[in-house]
Coordinates of all heavy atoms in Angstrom, one line a residue:
L5 N 10.0 8.7 -2.0 CA 8.9 9.0 -2.8 C 7.6 8.9 -2.1 O 6.7 9.8 -2.2 CB 8.9 8.0 -4.0 CG 7.7 8.1 -5.0 CD1 7.7 9.4 -5.7 CD2 7.7 6.9 -5.9
F6 N 7.4 7.9 -1.3 CA 6.1 7.7 -0.6 C 5.9 8.7 0.6 O 4.8 9.0 0.9 CB 5.9 6.2 -0.2 CG 5.5 5.3 -1.4 CD1 5.4 4.0 -1.2 CD2 5.4 5.8 -2.7 CE1 5.1 3.1 -2.3 CE2 5.1 5.0 -3.8 CZ 5.0 3.6 -3.5
M9 N 4.5 11.6 -0.9 CA 3.0 11.5 -1.1 C 2.3 11.6 0.2 O 1.2 12.3 0.2 CB 2.7 10.1 -1.7 CG 3.4 10.1 -3.1 SD 2.9 8.6 -4.0 CE 3.7 8.9 -5.6
F28 N -3.4 5.2 -2.3 CA -3.5 5.9 -3.6 C -3.3 4.8 -4.7 O -2.8 3.7 -4.5 CB -2.4 7.0 -3.7 CG -1.0 6.5 -3.4 CD1 -0.2 6.0 -4.3 CD2 -0.6 6.7 -2.1 CE1 1.1 5.5 -3.9 CE2 0.7 6.3 -1.7 CZ 1.5 5.7 -2.6
R29 N -3.8 5.2 -5.9 CA -3.7 4.2 -7.0 C -2.3 4.1 -7.5 O -1.5 5.1 -7.7 CB -4.6 4.7 -8.2 CG -6.1 4.7 -7.8 CD -7.0 4.8 -9.0 NE -8.4 5.1 -8.4 CZ -9.2 4.1 -7.9 NH1 -8.8 2.9 -7.9 NH2 -10.4 4.5 -7.4
D30 N -1.9 2.8 -7.8 CA -0.6 2.5 -8.3 C -0.4 3.1 -9.7 O -1.4 3.1 -10.6 CB -0.4 1.0 -8.4 CG 1.1 0.7 -8.6 OD1 1.7 0.9 -9.6 OD2 1.7 0.1 -7.6
I31 N 0.7 3.7 -10.0 CA 1.0 4.4 -11.3 C 1.0 3.4 -12.5 O 0.8 3.7 -13.6 CB 2.3 5.2 -11.2 CG1 2.2 6.3 -12.3 CG2 3.5 4.4 -11.3 CD1 3.4 7.3 -12.1
N32 N 1.3 2.1 -12.2 CA 1.4 1.1 -13.2 C 0.6 -0.1 -12.7 O 1.1 -1.2 -12.3 CB 2.9 0.7 -13.3 CG 3.1 -0.4 -14.3 OD1 2.4 -0.5 -15.3 ND2 4.2 -1.1 -14.2
H38 N -5.8 -1.4 -8.3 CA -4.5 -1.6 -7.8 C -4.1 -0.4 -6.9 O -3.8 0.7 -7.5 CB -3.4 -1.8 -8.9 CG -2.1 -2.2 -8.4 ND1 -1.1 -2.6 -9.2 CD2 -1.6 -2.3 -7.1 CE1 0.0 -2.9 -8.4 NE2 -0.3 -2.7 -7.2
L40 N -2.1 1.2 -3.5 CA -1.0 1.1 -2.5 C -1.4 1.8 -1.2 O -1.8 2.9 -1.2 CB 0.3 1.7 -3.0 CG 0.7 1.2 -4.4 CD1 1.9 2.0 -4.9 CD2 1.1 -0.3 -4.3
N87 N 5.7 -6.8 -0.5 CA 7.0 -7.3 -0.9 C 8.0 -6.8 0.1 O 8.0 -5.6 0.5 CB 7.4 -6.8 -2.3 CG 6.4 -7.4 -3.3 OD1 6.0 -8.5 -3.2 ND2 6.1 -6.5 -4.3
G93 N 10.9 -8.3 -4.9 CA 10.4 -7.3 -5.8 C 10.1 -6.0 -5.3 O 9.5 -5.1 -5.9
Q94 N 10.6 -5.7 -4.0 CA 10.3 -4.4 -3.5 C 11.2 -3.4 -4.2 O 12.5 -3.5 -4.3 CB 10.6 -4.4 -1.9 CG 10.3 -3.0 -1.3 CD 10.4 -3.0 0.2 OE1 10.9 -4.0 0.8 NE2 10.0 -1.9 0.8
T95 N 10.6 -2.3 -4.7 CA 11.4 -1.3 -5.4 C 11.3 0.1 -4.7 O 12.1 0.9 -4.9 CB 10.9 -1.1 -6.8 OG1 9.5 -0.8 -6.8 CG2 11.1 -2.4 -7.6
V96 N 10.2 0.3 -3.9 CA 10.1 1.5 -3.1 C 10.2 1.1 -1.6 O 9.4 0.3 -1.1 CB 8.8 2.2 -3.3 CG1 8.7 3.5 -2.5 CG2 8.6 2.6 -4.8
H100 N 4.5 -0.7 2.0 CA 3.2 -0.4 1.3 C 2.5 -1.8 1.0 O 3.2 -2.7 0.7 CB 3.4 0.3 0.0 CG 4.5 -0.3 -0.9 ND1 5.8 0.0 -0.7 CD2 4.4 -1.1 -2.0 CE1 6.5 -0.6 -1.6 NE2 5.7 -1.3 -2.4
H102 N 0.1 -3.6 -1.2 CA -0.6 -3.7 -2.5 C -2.0 -4.2 -2.3 O -2.1 -5.3 -1.6 CB 0.1 -4.5 -3.5 CG 1.5 -4.1 -4.0 ND1 1.7 -3.4 -5.2 CD2 2.7 -4.1 -3.4 CE1 2.9 -3.1 -5.3 NE2 3.6 -3.6 -4.3
Ligands
LIG1 P1 7.1 -2.6 -4.9 O1 7.7 -3.2 -6.2 O2 8.1 -1.8 -4.1 O3 6.4 -3.7 -4.1 O4 5.9 -1.7 -5.4 C1 6.1 -0.3 -5.7 C2 5.0 0.1 -6.5 O5 5.0 1.5 -6.5 C3 4.9 -0.4 -7.9 O6 3.7 -1.1 -8.1 C4 5.0 0.9 -8.7 O7 4.2 0.8 -9.9 C5 4.5 1.9 -7.8 N1 5.0 3.3 -8.0 C6 6.3 3.6 -8.3 N2 6.4 5.0 -8.5 C7 5.1 5.5 -8.3 C8 4.6 6.8 -8.4 O8 5.3 7.8 -8.6 N3 3.3 6.9 -8.2 C9 2.5 5.8 -7.9 N4 1.2 6.1 -7.7 N5 2.9 4.6 -7.8 C10 4.2 4.4 -8.0

Side-chain angles (χ1 to χ4, degrees):
L5 176 65
F6 286 177
M9 294 188 177
F28 50 87
R29 296 195 190 280
D30 196 293
I31 202 169
N32 183 23
H38 187 173
L40 303 175
N87 298 320
Q94 185 175 6
T95 58
V96 178
H100 48 281
H102 292 260

